[in-house]
Coordinates of all heavy atoms in Angstrom, one line a residue:
Y1 N 0.8 -1.2 0.0 CA 0.0 0.0 0.0 C 0.8 1.3 0.0 O 0.3 2.4 -0.2 CB -1.0 0.0 1.2 CG -1.9 -1.2 1.1 CD1 -1.8 -2.2 2.0 CD2 -3.0 -1.2 0.2 CE1 -2.7 -3.3 2.0 CE2 -3.8 -2.3 0.2 CZ -3.7 -3.3 1.1 OH -4.6 -4.4 1.0
A2 N 2.1 1.1 0.2 CA 3.0 2.3 0.3 C 3.0 3.0 -1.0 O 3.0 4.3 -1.0 CB 4.4 1.8 0.7
V3 N 3.1 2.3 -2.1 CA 3.1 3.0 -3.4 C 1.9 3.8 -3.7 O 1.9 4.9 -4.1 CB 3.3 1.9 -4.6 CG1 3.2 2.6 -5.9 CG2 4.7 1.3 -4.4
A4 N 0.7 3.2 -3.4 CA -0.6 3.8 -3.6 C -0.7 5.1 -2.7 O -1.2 6.1 -3.1 CB -1.7 2.9 -3.4
H5 N -0.2 4.9 -1.5 CA -0.3 6.0 -0.5 C 0.5 7.3 -1.0 O 0.0 8.4 -1.0 CB 0.1 5.6 0.9 CG -0.1 6.6 1.9 ND1 -1.4 7.1 2.3 CD2 0.8 7.2 2.7 CE1 -1.2 7.9 3.3 NE2 0.1 8.1 3.6
L6 N 1.7 7.0 -1.4 CA 2.6 8.1 -1.8 C 2.0 8.7 -3.1 O 2.0 9.9 -3.3 CB 4.0 7.7 -2.0 CG 5.0 8.7 -2.5 CD1 5.0 9.9 -1.5 CD2 6.4 8.2 -2.7
R7 N 1.6 7.9 -4.0 CA 1.0 8.3 -5.3 C -0.1 9.3 -5.1 O -0.2 10.4 -5.6 CB 0.6 7.2 -6.2 CG 0.2 7.6 -7.6 CD -0.4 6.5 -8.4 NE -1.7 6.1 -7.8 CZ -2.0 4.9 -7.4 NH1 -1.0 4.0 -7.4 NH2 -3.1 4.6 -6.9
V8 N -1.1 8.9 -4.2 CA -2.3 9.7 -3.9 C -1.9 11.0 -3.3 O -2.5 12.0 -3.6 CB -3.3 8.9 -3.1 CG1 -4.4 9.7 -2.6 CG2 -3.9 7.7 -4.0
L9 N -0.9 10.9 -2.3 CA -0.5 12.2 -1.7 C 0.1 13.2 -2.7 O -0.2 14.3 -2.7 CB 0.5 11.9 -0.6 CG -0.1 11.3 0.7 CD1 1.1 10.8 1.6 CD2 -1.0 12.3 1.4
Y10 N 0.9 12.6 -3.6 CA 1.5 13.5 -4.6 C 0.4 14.0 -5.6 O 0.4 15.2 -5.9 CB 2.6 12.7 -5.5 CG 3.1 13.5 -6.6 CD1 4.1 14.5 -6.3 CD2 2.6 13.4 -7.9 CE1 4.6 15.3 -7.4 CE2 3.1 14.1 -8.9 CZ 4.1 15.1 -8.7 OH 4.6 15.9 -9.7
Q11 N -0.5 13.2 -6.0 CA -1.6 13.7 -6.8 C -2.4 14.7 -6.1 O -2.8 15.7 -6.8 CB -2.5 12.5 -7.2 CG -1.9 11.5 -8.2 CD -2.7 10.3 -8.4 OE1 -3.3 9.7 -7.5 NE2 -2.8 9.9 -9.7
A12 N -2.7 14.6 -4.8 CA -3.4 15.6 -4.1 C -2.7 16.9 -4.1 O -3.3 18.0 -4.3 CB -3.7 15.1 -2.7
E13 N -1.4 16.9 -3.8 CA -0.6 18.1 -3.9 C -0.7 18.8 -5.2 O -0.9 20.0 -5.3 CB 0.9 17.8 -3.5 CG 1.7 19.1 -3.5 CD 3.2 18.8 -3.4 OE1 3.6 17.6 -3.6 OE2 3.9 19.8 -3.2
M14 N -0.5 18.1 -6.3 CA -0.5 18.6 -7.6 C -1.9 19.2 -8.0 O -2.0 20.3 -8.6 CB -0.1 17.6 -8.7 CG 1.4 17.3 -8.6 SD 2.5 18.7 -8.8 CE 2.9 19.1 -7.1
L15 N -3.0 18.5 -7.6 CA -4.3 18.9 -7.8 C -4.6 20.2 -7.1 O -5.1 21.2 -7.7 CB -5.3 17.9 -7.4 CG -6.8 18.2 -7.7 CD1 -7.1 18.4 -9.1 CD2 -7.7 17.1 -7.1
L16 N -4.2 20.3 -5.9 CA -4.4 21.6 -5.1 C -3.5 22.7 -5.7 O -4.0 23.9 -5.6 CB -4.0 21.3 -3.6 CG -5.0 20.5 -2.9 CD1 -4.4 20.0 -1.6 CD2 -6.4 21.2 -2.7
M17 N -2.3 22.4 -6.1 CA -1.4 23.5 -6.6 C -1.7 23.9 -8.0 O -1.5 25.1 -8.3 CB 0.0 23.1 -6.4 CG 0.5 23.0 -5.0 SD 2.2 22.4 -4.8 CE 3.1 23.6 -5.7
T18 N -2.1 23.0 -8.9 CA -2.2 23.3 -10.3 C -3.6 23.1 -10.9 O -3.8 23.6 -12.0 CB -1.2 22.4 -11.1 OG1 -1.7 21.0 -11.0 CG2 0.2 22.5 -10.6
G19 N -4.4 22.4 -10.1 CA -5.8 22.1 -10.7 C -5.8 20.9 -11.6 O -6.8 20.6 -12.2
V20 N -4.6 20.3 -11.7 CA -4.5 19.1 -12.6 C -4.2 17.9 -11.8 O -3.3 17.9 -10.9 CB -3.4 19.3 -13.7 CG1 -3.2 18.1 -14.5 CG2 -3.7 20.5 -14.5
L21 N -4.9 16.8 -12.1 CA -4.7 15.5 -11.4 C -3.8 14.7 -12.2 O -4.2 14.1 -13.3 CB -6.0 14.8 -11.1 CG -5.9 13.4 -10.4 CD1 -5.4 13.6 -9.0 CD2 -7.2 12.7 -10.5
P22 N -2.5 14.5 -11.9 CA -1.6 13.7 -12.7 C -1.9 12.2 -12.6 O -2.0 11.7 -11.5 CB -0.2 14.1 -12.2 CG -0.5 14.5 -10.8 CD -1.8 15.1 -10.7
I23 N -2.0 11.6 -13.7 CA -2.3 10.1 -13.7 C -1.0 9.4 -14.1 O -0.6 8.5 -13.4 CB -3.4 9.8 -14.7 CG1 -4.7 10.6 -14.4 CG2 -3.6 8.3 -14.8 CD1 -5.3 10.3 -13.1
D24 N -0.3 9.8 -15.1 CA 1.0 9.2 -15.5 C 2.1 9.7 -14.6 O 2.3 10.9 -14.5 CB 1.3 9.6 -16.9 CG 2.5 8.9 -17.5 OD1 3.2 8.3 -16.7 OD2 2.6 8.9 -18.7
M25 N 2.7 8.9 -13.8 CA 3.7 9.3 -12.9 C 5.1 9.3 -13.4 O 6.0 9.7 -12.8 CB 3.7 8.3 -11.7 CG 2.4 8.3 -10.8 SD 2.3 9.8 -9.8 CE 1.0 10.6 -10.6
R26 N 5.3 8.9 -14.7 CA 6.6 8.8 -15.3 C 7.5 10.1 -15.2 O 8.7 10.0 -15.0 CB 6.6 8.3 -16.7 CG 6.2 6.8 -16.8 CD 6.2 6.4 -18.2 NE 4.9 6.9 -18.7 CZ 4.4 6.4 -19.9 NH1 5.0 5.6 -20.6 NH2 3.2 6.9 -20.3
D27 N 6.9 11.2 -15.4 CA 7.6 12.5 -15.4 C 7.4 13.3 -14.1 O 7.4 14.5 -14.2 CB 7.2 13.3 -16.6 CG 7.7 12.7 -17.9 OD1 8.7 12.1 -18.0 OD2 6.9 12.8 -18.9
T28 N 7.3 12.6 -13.0 CA 7.1 13.2 -11.7 C 8.3 13.0 -10.8 O 9.1 12.0 -11.0 CB 5.9 12.7 -11.0 OG1 6.1 11.4 -10.6 CG2 4.6 12.8 -11.9
P29 N 8.5 13.9 -9.8 CA 9.6 13.6 -8.9 C 9.5 12.4 -8.0 O 10.5 12.0 -7.4 CB 9.6 14.9 -8.1 CG 8.4 15.7 -8.4 CD 7.8 15.1 -9.6
V30 N 8.3 11.8 -7.9 CA 8.1 10.6 -7.1 C 8.3 9.3 -7.9 O 8.2 8.2 -7.3 CB 6.8 10.7 -6.4 CG1 6.7 11.8 -5.4 CG2 5.6 10.7 -7.3
Y31 N 8.4 9.4 -9.2 CA 8.4 8.2 -10.0 C 9.5 7.2 -9.6 O 9.1 6.0 -9.4 CB 8.6 8.6 -11.5 CG 8.6 7.4 -12.4 CD1 7.4 6.7 -12.7 CD2 9.8 6.9 -13.0 CE1 7.4 5.6 -13.5 CE2 9.8 5.9 -13.9 CZ 8.6 5.2 -14.1 OH 8.6 4.1 -15.0
D32 N 10.7 7.6 -9.4 CA 11.8 6.6 -9.1 C 11.5 6.0 -7.7 O 11.7 4.8 -7.5 CB 13.1 7.3 -9.1 CG 13.6 7.7 -10.5 OD1 13.1 7.0 -11.4 OD2 14.4 8.6 -10.6
V33 N 11.0 6.7 -6.8 CA 10.6 6.2 -5.5 C 9.5 5.2 -5.6 O 9.6 4.1 -5.0 CB 10.3 7.3 -4.5 CG1 9.8 6.7 -3.2 CG2 11.4 8.2 -4.2
L34 N 8.5 5.5 -6.4 CA 7.4 4.6 -6.6 C 7.8 3.3 -7.2 O 7.4 2.2 -6.7 CB 6.3 5.2 -7.4 CG 5.6 6.4 -6.9 CD1 4.7 7.0 -7.9 CD2 4.8 6.1 -5.6
R35 N 8.7 3.4 -8.2 CA 9.2 2.1 -8.8 C 10.0 1.3 -7.8 O 9.9 0.1 -7.8 CB 10.0 2.5 -10.1 CG 9.2 2.9 -11.2 CD 9.9 3.1 -12.5 NE 10.8 1.9 -12.8 CZ 10.4 0.9 -13.6 NH1 9.2 0.9 -14.1 NH2 11.3 0.0 -13.9
S36 N 10.9 1.9 -7.1 CA 11.7 1.1 -6.1 C 10.8 0.5 -5.0 O 11.1 -0.6 -4.6 CB 12.8 2.0 -5.6 OG 12.4 3.0 -4.7
W37 N 9.9 1.3 -4.6 CA 9.0 0.7 -3.5 C 8.2 -0.4 -4.1 O 7.9 -1.4 -3.4 CB 8.1 1.8 -3.0 CG 8.7 2.8 -2.1 CD1 10.0 2.9 -1.9 CD2 8.1 3.8 -1.3 NE1 10.3 4.0 -1.0 CE2 9.1 4.5 -0.7 CE3 6.8 4.2 -1.2 CZ2 8.8 5.6 0.2 CZ3 6.5 5.3 -0.3 CH2 7.5 6.0 0.4
R38 N 7.8 -0.4 -5.3 CA 7.0 -1.4 -5.9 C 7.8 -2.8 -5.9 O 7.2 -3.8 -5.8 CB 6.6 -1.1 -7.4 CG 5.6 -2.1 -8.0 CD 5.2 -1.6 -9.4 NE 4.4 -0.4 -9.3 CZ 3.1 -0.3 -9.1 NH1 2.4 -1.4 -9.0 NH2 2.5 0.8 -9.0
T39 N 9.1 -2.7 -6.0 CA 9.9 -3.9 -6.0 C 10.3 -4.3 -4.6 O 11.0 -5.3 -4.4 CB 11.2 -3.7 -6.8 OG1 12.0 -2.7 -6.2 CG2 10.9 -3.3 -8.2
G40 N 9.8 -3.6 -3.6 CA 10.1 -3.9 -2.2 C 11.3 -3.3 -1.6 O 11.8 -3.6 -0.5
A41 N 11.9 -2.4 -2.4 CA 13.2 -1.7 -2.0 C 12.9 -0.5 -1.0 O 13.0 0.6 -1.5 CB 14.0 -1.3 -3.2
Y42 N 12.5 -0.8 0.2 CA 12.2 0.2 1.1 C 12.2 -0.3 2.5 O 12.1 -1.5 2.7 CB 10.9 0.9 0.9 CG 9.7 0.0 1.0 CD1 9.1 -0.3 2.2 CD2 9.2 -0.7 -0.2 CE1 8.0 -1.2 2.3 CE2 8.1 -1.6 -0.1 CZ 7.5 -1.8 1.2 OH 6.5 -2.7 1.2
T43 N 12.3 0.6 3.5 CA 12.2 0.2 4.9 C 10.9 0.9 5.4 O 10.4 1.9 4.8 CB 13.3 0.7 5.8 OG1 13.3 2.1 5.8 CG2 14.7 0.2 5.3
K44 N 10.3 0.4 6.4 CA 9.1 1.0 7.0 C 9.4 2.4 7.4 O 8.5 3.3 7.2 CB 8.6 0.2 8.2 CG 8.0 -1.2 7.8 CD 7.6 -1.9 9.1 CE 7.1 -3.3 8.7 NZ 6.7 -4.1 9.8
G45 N 10.5 2.7 8.0 CA 10.9 4.0 8.4 C 10.9 5.0 7.2 O 10.5 6.1 7.3
E46 N 11.5 4.5 6.1 CA 11.6 5.3 4.9 C 10.2 5.7 4.3 O 9.9 6.8 4.0 CB 12.4 4.6 3.8 CG 12.4 5.3 2.5 CD 13.1 4.5 1.4 OE1 13.5 3.3 1.6 OE2 13.2 5.0 0.2
V47 N 9.3 4.7 4.4 CA 7.9 4.9 3.9 C 7.2 5.9 4.8 O 6.6 6.9 4.3 CB 7.1 3.6 3.9 CG1 5.7 3.9 3.6 CG2 7.7 2.7 2.8
V48 N 7.3 5.8 6.1 CA 6.7 6.7 7.0 C 7.2 8.1 6.9 O 6.5 9.0 6.8 CB 6.9 6.2 8.5 CG1 6.4 7.2 9.5 CG2 6.1 4.9 8.7
D49 N 8.6 8.2 6.8 CA 9.2 9.6 6.7 C 8.7 10.2 5.4 O 8.4 11.4 5.4 CB 10.7 9.5 6.8 CG 11.2 9.1 8.1 OD1 10.4 9.2 9.1 OD2 12.4 8.8 8.3
R50 N 8.8 9.5 4.3 CA 8.5 10.1 3.0 C 7.0 10.5 2.9 O 6.7 11.6 2.4 CB 8.9 9.1 1.9 CG 8.6 9.6 0.5 CD 9.6 10.7 0.1 NE 9.3 11.3 -1.2 CZ 10.1 11.3 -2.2 NH1 11.3 10.6 -2.1 NH2 9.8 11.8 -3.4
C51 N 6.2 9.6 3.4 CA 4.7 9.9 3.3 C 4.3 11.0 4.3 O 3.5 11.9 3.9 CB 3.9 8.6 3.6 SG 4.0 7.5 2.2
L52 N 4.9 11.1 5.4 CA 4.6 12.2 6.3 C 5.1 13.5 5.7 O 4.4 14.6 5.8 CB 5.3 12.0 7.7 CG 4.6 11.0 8.6 CD1 5.4 10.8 9.9 CD2 3.2 11.4 8.9
N53 N 6.3 13.5 5.1 CA 6.7 14.7 4.4 C 5.8 15.1 3.3 O 5.4 16.3 3.2 CB 8.1 14.5 3.8 CG 8.6 15.7 3.1 OD1 8.4 15.8 1.9 ND2 9.4 16.6 3.8
Q54 N 5.3 14.2 2.5 CA 4.4 14.5 1.4 C 3.1 14.9 2.0 O 2.4 15.8 1.4 CB 4.2 13.2 0.5 CG 3.5 13.5 -0.8 CD 4.3 14.5 -1.7 OE1 5.4 14.3 -1.9 NE2 3.5 15.4 -2.3
Q55 N 2.6 14.4 3.1 CA 1.4 14.8 3.7 C 1.5 16.2 4.1 O 0.5 17.0 4.0 CB 1.0 13.9 4.9 CG -0.3 14.3 5.5 CD -0.7 13.3 6.6 OE1 -0.3 12.2 6.6 NE2 -1.5 13.8 7.5
S56 N 2.6 16.6 4.6 CA 2.8 18.0 5.0 C 2.8 18.9 3.8 O 2.2 20.1 3.9 CB 4.2 18.2 5.7 OG 4.2 17.5 6.9
R57 N 3.3 18.5 2.7 CA 3.2 19.3 1.5 C 1.8 19.4 1.0 O 1.4 20.5 0.5 CB 4.1 18.6 0.4 CG 5.5 18.6 0.7 CD 6.4 17.8 -0.3 NE 6.2 18.3 -1.6 CZ 7.1 19.1 -2.2 NH1 8.2 19.5 -1.6 NH2 6.9 19.5 -3.5
V58 N 1.0 18.4 1.1 CA -0.5 18.5 0.8 C -1.2 19.4 1.7 O -2.0 20.3 1.2 CB -1.1 17.1 0.9 CG1 -2.6 17.2 0.7 CG2 -0.5 16.1 -0.1
E59 N -0.9 19.4 3.0 CA -1.5 20.3 3.9 C -1.2 21.8 3.6 O -2.1 22.7 3.6 CB -1.2 20.0 5.4 CG -1.8 18.7 5.8 CD -1.2 18.1 7.1 OE1 -0.3 18.7 7.7 OE2 -1.7 17.0 7.5
L60 N 0.1 22.0 3.3 CA 0.5 23.4 2.9 C -0.2 23.8 1.6 O -0.7 25.0 1.5 CB 2.0 23.5 2.7 CG 2.8 23.5 4.0 CD1 4.3 23.4 3.6 CD2 2.5 24.8 4.7
A61 N -0.3 22.9 0.6 CA -1.0 23.2 -0.6 C -2.5 23.5 -0.4 O -3.1 24.4 -1.0 CB -0.8 22.1 -1.6
Y62 N -3.1 22.7 0.5 CA -4.5 22.9 0.8 C -4.7 24.3 1.5 O -5.7 25.0 1.1 CB -5.0 21.8 1.8 CG -6.4 22.0 2.2 CD1 -7.4 21.7 1.3 CD2 -6.7 22.5 3.5 CE1 -8.7 21.8 1.7 CE2 -8.0 22.6 3.9 CZ -9.0 22.3 3.0 OH -10.4 22.5 3.4
M63 N -3.9 24.7 2.4 CA -4.0 26.0 3.0 C -3.9 27.2 2.0 O -4.4 28.2 2.2 CB -3.0 26.2 4.2 CG -3.4 25.3 5.4 SD -2.3 25.6 6.8 CE -0.8 24.9 6.3
G64 N -3.1 26.9 1.0 CA -2.8 28.0 0.0 C -3.7 27.9 -1.2 O -3.6 28.7 -2.1
C65 N -4.7 27.0 -1.2 CA -5.5 26.8 -2.4 C -6.7 27.8 -2.3 O -7.4 27.9 -1.3 CB -6.1 25.4 -2.3 SG -7.2 25.0 -3.8
P66 N -6.8 28.7 -3.3 CA -7.8 29.7 -3.3 C -9.2 29.2 -3.7 O -10.2 29.9 -3.5 CB -7.3 30.7 -4.4 CG -6.6 29.8 -5.4 CD -5.9 28.7 -4.5
Q67 N -9.3 28.0 -4.2 CA -10.6 27.5 -4.7 C -11.4 27.0 -3.5 O -10.9 26.5 -2.5 CB -10.4 26.3 -5.7 CG -9.7 26.8 -6.9 CD -9.5 25.7 -7.9 OE1 -10.1 24.6 -7.8 NE2 -8.6 25.9 -8.9
V68 N -12.7 27.2 -3.6 CA -13.7 26.7 -2.6 C -14.5 25.6 -3.3 O -15.0 25.7 -4.4 CB -14.6 27.9 -2.2 CG1 -15.7 27.4 -1.2 CG2 -13.8 29.0 -1.6
P69 N -14.6 24.4 -2.6 CA -15.3 23.3 -3.2 C -16.8 23.6 -3.3 O -17.4 24.2 -2.5 CB -15.0 22.1 -2.3 CG -14.7 22.8 -1.0 CD -14.0 24.1 -1.3
D70 N -17.4 23.1 -4.4 CA -18.8 23.2 -4.5 C -19.4 21.8 -4.0 O -19.5 20.8 -4.8 CB -19.2 23.4 -6.0 CG -20.7 23.5 -6.3 OD1 -21.5 23.1 -5.4 OD2 -21.0 24.0 -7.4
I71 N -19.7 21.8 -2.8 CA -20.1 20.6 -2.1 C -21.4 19.9 -2.8 O -21.4 18.7 -2.9 CB -20.4 20.8 -0.6 CG1 -19.1 21.3 0.1 CG2 -20.9 19.5 0.1 CD1 -17.9 20.4 0.0
E72 N -22.3 20.8 -3.2 CA -23.5 20.2 -3.8 C -23.1 19.5 -5.1 O -23.7 18.4 -5.4 CB -24.5 21.3 -4.0 CG -25.3 21.7 -2.8 CD -26.4 22.7 -3.1 OE1 -27.0 22.7 -4.1 OE2 -26.6 23.6 -2.2
K73 N -22.2 20.1 -5.9 CA -21.8 19.5 -7.1 C -21.1 18.2 -6.9 O -21.3 17.2 -7.6 CB -20.9 20.5 -7.9 CG -20.6 20.0 -9.3 CD -19.8 21.1 -10.0 CE -19.6 20.7 -11.5 NZ -18.9 21.8 -12.2
V74 N -20.2 18.2 -5.9 CA -19.5 17.0 -5.5 C -20.4 15.9 -5.1 O -20.3 14.7 -5.5 CB -18.4 17.3 -4.5 CG1 -17.8 16.0 -3.9 CG2 -17.3 18.2 -5.0
N75 N -21.3 16.2 -4.2 CA -22.3 15.2 -3.7 C -23.2 14.7 -4.8 O -23.5 13.5 -4.9 CB -23.1 15.8 -2.6 CG -22.4 15.8 -1.3 OD1 -21.4 15.1 -1.1 ND2 -22.8 16.7 -0.4
G76 N -23.6 15.6 -5.7 CA -24.4 15.1 -6.9 C -23.6 14.1 -7.7 O -24.2 13.1 -8.2
W77 N -22.4 14.4 -8.0 CA -21.5 13.5 -8.8 C -21.4 12.2 -8.1 O -21.5 11.1 -8.7 CB -20.2 14.1 -9.1 CG -19.3 13.3 -9.9 CD1 -19.3 13.2 -11.3 CD2 -18.4 12.3 -9.5 NE1 -18.4 12.3 -11.7 CE2 -17.8 11.7 -10.6 CE3 -17.9 11.9 -8.2 CZ2 -16.8 10.7 -10.5 CZ3 -17.0 10.9 -8.1 CH2 -16.4 10.3 -9.2
L78 N -21.1 12.2 -6.8 CA -20.9 11.0 -6.0 C -22.2 10.1 -6.0 O -22.1 8.9 -6.2 CB -20.5 11.3 -4.6 CG -19.1 11.7 -4.4 CD1 -18.9 12.2 -2.9 CD2 -18.1 10.6 -4.7
L79 N -23.3 10.8 -5.8 CA -24.6 10.0 -5.8 C -24.8 9.4 -7.2 O -25.2 8.2 -7.3 CB -25.7 10.9 -5.5 CG -25.8 11.3 -4.0 CD1 -26.9 12.3 -3.8 CD2 -26.1 10.1 -3.1
K80 N -24.6 10.1 -8.3 CA -24.8 9.6 -9.6 C -23.8 8.4 -9.9 O -24.2 7.4 -10.4 CB -24.5 10.7 -10.6 CG -24.8 10.3 -12.0 CD -24.6 11.5 -13.0 CE -24.9 11.1 -14.4 NZ -24.6 12.2 -15.3
A81 N -22.6 8.6 -9.5 CA -21.6 7.5 -9.7 C -22.0 6.3 -8.9 O -21.9 5.1 -9.5 CB -20.2 8.0 -9.3
R82 N -22.4 6.5 -7.7 CA -22.7 5.3 -6.9 C -24.0 4.6 -7.4 O -24.1 3.4 -7.4 CB -22.9 5.7 -5.4 CG -21.5 6.0 -4.8 CD -21.7 6.5 -3.4 NE -20.4 6.7 -2.8 CZ -20.2 7.5 -1.7 NH1 -21.2 8.1 -1.1 NH2 -19.0 7.7 -1.2
Q83 N -25.0 5.4 -7.7 CA -26.2 4.8 -8.2 C -26.0 4.0 -9.5 O -26.6 3.0 -9.7 CB -27.2 5.9 -8.5 CG -27.8 6.5 -7.1 CD -28.7 7.7 -7.4 OE1 -28.7 8.3 -8.4 NE2 -29.4 8.1 -6.3
G84 N -25.1 4.5 -10.3 CA -24.8 3.8 -11.6 C -24.1 2.5 -11.4 O -24.3 1.6 -12.2
Y85 N -23.4 2.3 -10.3 CA -22.7 1.0 -10.0 C -23.4 0.2 -9.0 O -23.1 -1.0 -8.9 CB -21.3 1.3 -9.6 CG -20.4 1.9 -10.8 CD1 -20.2 3.2 -10.9 CD2 -19.9 1.0 -11.7 CE1 -19.4 3.7 -12.0 CE2 -19.2 1.5 -12.8 CZ -18.9 2.8 -12.9 OH -18.2 3.3 -14.0
W86 N -24.2 0.7 -8.1 CA -24.7 -0.1 -7.0 C -26.2 -0.4 -7.1 O -26.7 -1.2 -6.3 CB -24.5 0.7 -5.7 CG -23.0 0.7 -5.4 CD1 -22.2 1.7 -5.6 CD2 -22.3 -0.4 -4.8 NE1 -20.9 1.4 -5.2 CE2 -20.9 0.1 -4.7 CE3 -22.6 -1.7 -4.4 CZ2 -19.9 -0.7 -4.2 CZ3 -21.5 -2.4 -3.9 CH2 -20.2 -2.0 -3.8
I87 N -26.9 0.1 -8.1 CA -28.3 -0.3 -8.3 C -28.4 -1.6 -8.9 O -27.8 -1.9 -10.0 CB -29.1 0.8 -9.1 CG1 -29.1 2.1 -8.3 CG2 -30.4 0.3 -9.5 CD1 -29.9 3.2 -9.0
A88 N -29.1 -2.5 -8.3 CA -29.2 -3.9 -8.8 C -30.3 -4.0 -9.8 O -31.2 -3.4 -9.9 CB -29.4 -4.9 -7.7

């Protein structure tokens, strides 16, 4: 789960800072770390330290984000998405 956790934290930072959600990680500063972690080349301490650092970056980006979420729009989208997949 370490790879997914770091990837999502990086994506959150970029979304907050640029308004773009990066999907392709190849040209990102976390790519090499993600690849090495995927092969098991990490320690628990390294994962915790890196992810806590990235979480701090997300929090700073969040505090500096000028956009205000449209909660009704988000909830509408979530309901539509869930209904499309969960109605039997």
Side-chain angles (χ1 to χ4, degrees):
Y1 299 107
V3 172
H5 186 62
L6 180 59
R7 185 189 69 241
V8 169
L9 287 170
Y10 177 78
Q11 289 173 317
E13 179 190 12
M14 291 300 100
L15 182 61
L16 289 166
M17 291 178 59
T18 67
V20 175
L21 179 69
I23 303 300
D24 187 346
M25 295 286 110
R26 285 179 285 192
D27 293 323
T28 68
V30 297
Y31 180 70
D32 290 336
V33 173
L34 295 174
R35 284 188 51 94
S36 69
W37 287 8
R38 186 174 297 270
T39 64
Y42 61 86
T43 65
K44 290 178 184 177
E46 177 186 0
V47 170
V48 170
D49 289 346
R50 182 71 185 242
C51 289
L52 284 175
N53 178 272
Q54 190 65 45
Q55 182 175 334
S56 294
R57 294 172 60 98
V58 171
E59 290 168 359
L60 285 172
Y62 178 76
M63 288 187 288
C65 184
Q67 298 181 14
V68 176
D70 182 341
I71 300 300
E72 286 185 30
K73 188 173 184 178
V74 171
N75 283 338
W77 181 86
L78 285 171
L79 286 172
K80 184 177 177 182
R82 288 179 178 159
Q83 289 171 344
Y85 289 99
W86 290 98
I87 292 179

